[in-house]
Amino acid sequence: MRFVSEFAKLIRFVKKEINRNTLIFGVFFCIASLFWIINALQKTYTVQIPIRIEYTHIPKTKAIVTSAPDTVNTEVSATGYALLRFYMYSSKTVDIHIEQLLQTQSNNDSLLRVVLQPLIQSSGVFSNSITVNKVVPKIVQFAFAPIHKKKVKVVARYSIECSQQYQLQHNPTTIPDSVFLYGASELLQTIDSVYTTEIFAQDVSQSFSRKIQLQAIRNVQLSDTVVTVNVDIEKFTEQQFTIPITAIHVPDTVLIDLMNHSVQITMFTGMSHIQKNSPQDFKVIADFTKQNTQTGEIPIEIIARPKWGRIVKITPEFVGYIIESK
């Protein structure tokens, strides 16, 4: 029993000493780490920092015809303290006031040459304790042209999944359905439409409307930046049509008899368009020149179809034939 008692005392002593030593080690480790951080922050570093550039206050009577970088790379020198404050609090964005810069030059209003480093230094994005050594690129140059106007349509971009037995009644529409663009004539000639940001919706069973932002176009101003997109949803039903097959491109020296003279087409059609579809809206062909040389079958093609509805099945998809003598 005495042995057990002495052993228990030894265990308690070891645990006590280990806990005490661990605590002492932890305290000194924290103190050493603090001094290391303080020492590191007092040193001077040279680092590369990307800065975002925003070109604002472009005169409404001028169109920019050259591209300019959205981001420039700056090389700066500063203490660790100054860099830490910059990363924590700075906006990292510099506004360049185009109209103000144009007013400072008197000889040419169709060309603007901007030296970036002085503008970045005076912008306040870097504090006085940070030295800007270099900016790449050093200079940004703008060429201007007279402003022109063009009307283009608005196209809605969408990814919409409807609930079972529902579908889009038609492509989403926008209000307004067109906008005016203002920019250089050469640039406007390449643009026929503007697009909305993409609309995402799942398991949709009811029509809806949303305010959607238009996608920006570089160096072009839009008369409207937000449009209303209307999405019409309706139930659909199944329609079936039996349509005769017309054989085409059959050589004059050959007479063929198709093994199927008609196909059955299954469509999903919105309830509002059922009466608008008829068999006369379809035209189905079998092009003899496209026959499969191994099976001797000709693929079925639909070259005309109703405007409304979605074809989901064609039976058969291929047709065989028998050559008859003339």
Side-chain angles (χ1 to χ4, degrees), residues 26 30 77 94 103 291 312-313:
C30 291
S77 296
V94 173
Q103 292 173 356
Q291 64 177 302
V312 294
K313 189 177 181 181

Side-chain angles (χ1 to χ4, degrees), residues 8 45 80 82 130 134 136 139 156 220 223 246 250 261 279-280 314 318:
Y45 301 90
I130 297 178
K134 184 170 60 175
V136 179
I139 296 171
V220 173
S223 60
T246 301
V250 180
H261 295 93
Q280 288 72 34
I314 305 170
F318 297 87

Side-chain angles (χ1 to χ4, degrees), residues 42-244:
Q42 289 176 338
K43 292 181 180 180
T44 299
Y45 301 90
T46 298
V47 296
Q48 306 290 327
I49 298 177
I51 296 295
R52 179 173 173 77
I53 303 294
E54 291 186 357
Y55 306 97
T56 62
H57 298 86
I58 299 170
K60 293 183 178 181
T61 58
K62 295 182 181 297
I64 297 177
V65 294
T66 53
S67 60
D70 294 326
T71 303
V72 297
N73 195 39
T74 60
E75 180 188 282
V76 302
S77 296
T79 63
Y81 285 114
L83 291 174
L84 181 61
R85 285 195 299 270
F86 170 80
Y87 284 117
M88 291 178 64
Y89 303 114
S90 177
S91 66
K92 305 177 186 64
T93 300
V94 173
D95 291 334
I96 294 184
H97 196 302
I98 298 297
E99 190 170 24
Q100 193 175 67
L101 291 173
L102 281 170
Q103 292 173 356
T104 61
Q105 63 176 29
S106 57
N107 56 344
N108 189 355
D109 63 353
S110 63
L111 190 66
L112 177 64
R113 192 169 180 267
V114 180
V115 182
L116 291 175
Q117 185 163 334
L119 288 176
I120 291 175
Q121 286 176 321
S122 62
S123 67
V125 68
F126 292 116
S127 65
N128 294 332
S129 57
I130 297 178
T131 302
V132 179
N133 302 325
K134 184 170 60 175
V135 177
V136 179
K138 294 181 180 180
I139 296 171
V140 174
Q141 190 163 282
F142 298 92
F144 298 95
I147 202 81
H148 285 76
K149 177 181 177 181
K150 182 179 181 180
K151 186 177 183 180
V152 298
K153 64 180 180 180
V154 178
V155 178
R157 297 179 66 244
Y158 59 93
S159 177
I160 299 173
E161 295 181 9
C162 296
S163 303
Q164 191 172 4
Q165 290 296 115
Y166 288 88
Q167 67 178 15
L168 288 173
Q169 187 173 341
H170 47 71
N171 290 335
T173 58
T174 66
I175 301 175
D177 61 358
S178 58
V179 295
F180 287 102
L181 305 183
Y182 301 91
S185 175
E186 295 81 0
L187 180 56
L188 295 186
Q189 289 175 7
T190 65
I191 304 172
D192 294 320
S193 56
V194 294
Y195 296 88
T196 66
T197 53
E198 192 161 4
I199 304 169
F200 293 96
Q202 291 183 324
D203 197 24
V204 180
S205 60
Q206 291 183 335
S207 301
F208 64 91
S209 298
R210 286 185 189 173
K211 295 281 188 182
I212 300 295
Q213 193 86 18
L214 292 178
Q215 291 182 345
I217 303 175
R218 192 180 185 89
N219 295 336
V220 173
Q221 298 179 33
L222 283 68
S223 60
D224 295 274
T225 57
V226 176
V227 297
T228 300
V229 178
N230 297 317
V231 180
D232 295 324
I233 306 295
E234 66 176 352
K235 275 191 172 183
F236 66 81
T237 188
E238 183 180 289
Q239 284 187 296
Q240 290 187 339
F241 300 92
T242 300
I243 309 298

